[in-house]
Amino acid sequence: MNRSSLARRSATVLAAAATAVLAAAGAASAHVTVNPREAVQGSYTKVAFRVPNEEDKASTSKLEVNLPKDHPVASVSTQPVMGWTVSVEKSKLDKPIKSDDGEITEAVTKITWTANSASKIAPGQFQEFNVSLGPLPTDTDSLTFKALQTYDNGDVVRWIDVAQPGGAEPEHPAPVLTLTAKAADAEPSAAATTPAPETSPADSGDSAGKTETAAADSSDSTARTLGVVGIVVGVIGAGLGVVGLRRRGGSAS
């Protein structure tokens, strides 16, 4: 096998590998997700339910998002999406939510967006649906939003699978919003509680001198490395030139 054939085969293999990697990445990311993925317990936040179209010959015409009943959110509002109508469903709570305005006995448990004929999510496209939530629960570290994605050909994808700790990601994972503790509730780090050691002027000067020396050594090392790389590149270029001349000479003879 000559060099040109080997080069063509290598290029083909690399292209195939790159295509496979990109395809795998696209498949892994083409889920209905909630963004951002994290929020602070007890806070108000805006999230976007991102809906990509995974079909090649159908468009997404409806999205249903279910809010968890076991950890209800008192205030839920939606942002208008052009070409889509939204309906909100409330349910009576088994345990009322206490708020500054008194007890709340019902909360939003389902939001449905429906597209008109001209606003469906076409193949290769995605849409985001913004929702304001708050105050977020303080008695859990995550909220799971089970979602149903309906296509205009009748297919329904149920994004309702819950990932198990330590297990592989399910085929149709439900969107999950991770809830983190407030900064005031977090324990102070060792760096924050340990006082910095005192430094005398002499120590400061010595440290500065060492820093300058280290910077100089690093700069010198970098220069030497670049010099060696330049020499190697020059040698390779010269070798390729010799090979080219020999090939021309061989072709002329």
Side-chain angles (χ1 to χ4, degrees):
M1 181 182 296
N2 57 36
R3 293 185 178 180
S4 59
S5 299
L6 180 60
R8 285 195 297 269
R9 176 168 295 185
S10 299
T12 301
V13 172
L14 290 174
T19 301
V21 169
L22 291 174
S29 62
H31 299 332
V32 172
T33 57
V34 59
N35 300 278
R37 304 293 180 92
E38 291 186 358
V40 178
Q41 293 176 340
S43 69
Y44 285 79
T45 188
K46 184 189 81 171
V47 299
F49 291 97
R50 185 173 299 161
V51 183
N53 191 323
E54 293 185 313
E55 295 280 352
D56 294 328
K57 299 180 180 179
S59 299
T60 296
S61 57
K62 185 168 68 172
L63 172 70
E64 301 174 46
V65 174
N66 294 276
L67 281 66
K69 295 181 180 180
D70 54 346
H71 297 290
V73 180
S75 176
V76 177
S77 57
T78 60
Q79 185 174 34
V81 180
M82 185 176 296
W84 293 72
T85 58
V86 59
S87 62
V88 176
E89 181 179 312
K90 293 185 176 182
S91 299
K92 187 174 181 61
L93 301 177
D94 296 331
K95 183 179 179 181
I97 303 173
K98 293 182 179 181
S99 69
D100 296 338
D101 300 325
E103 289 189 343
I104 298 175
T105 58
E106 64 176 12
V108 175
T109 53
K110 184 178 179 180
I111 307 175
T112 303
W113 290 271
T114 305
N116 62 30
S117 59
S119 301
K120 300 175 184 179
I121 308 172
Q125 298 180 351
F126 75 94
Q127 181 61 273
E128 290 187 335
F129 302 88
N130 293 326
V131 178
S132 175
L133 303 170
L136 298 175
T138 57
D139 57 349
T140 182
D141 58 4
S142 66
L143 291 177
T144 299
F145 303 95
K146 295 184 178 182
L148 275 65
Q149 181 180 10
T150 301
Y151 289 89
D152 56 9
N153 63 356
D155 291 346
V156 178
V157 181
R158 300 169 62 84
W159 302 98
I160 62 174
D161 299 336
V162 179
Q164 300 301 319
E169 183 184 62
E171 184 177 0
H172 297 101
V176 176
L177 178 66
T178 300
L179 301 180
T180 60
K182 294 181 180 179
D185 297 336
E187 295 183 0
S189 64
T193 57
T194 303
E198 295 183 358
T199 304
S200 65
D203 293 336
S204 299
D206 186 56
S207 297
K210 291 180 178 180
T211 302
E212 293 177 358
T213 302
D217 292 342
S218 176
S219 177
D220 184 60
S221 177
T222 302
R224 291 179 181 177
T225 301
L226 292 175
V228 172
V229 171
I231 293 173
V232 172
V233 171
V235 171
I236 293 174
L240 292 176
V242 171
V243 171
L245 291 174
R246 289 181 176 178
R247 288 184 177 179
R248 291 182 181 178
S251 299
S253 60

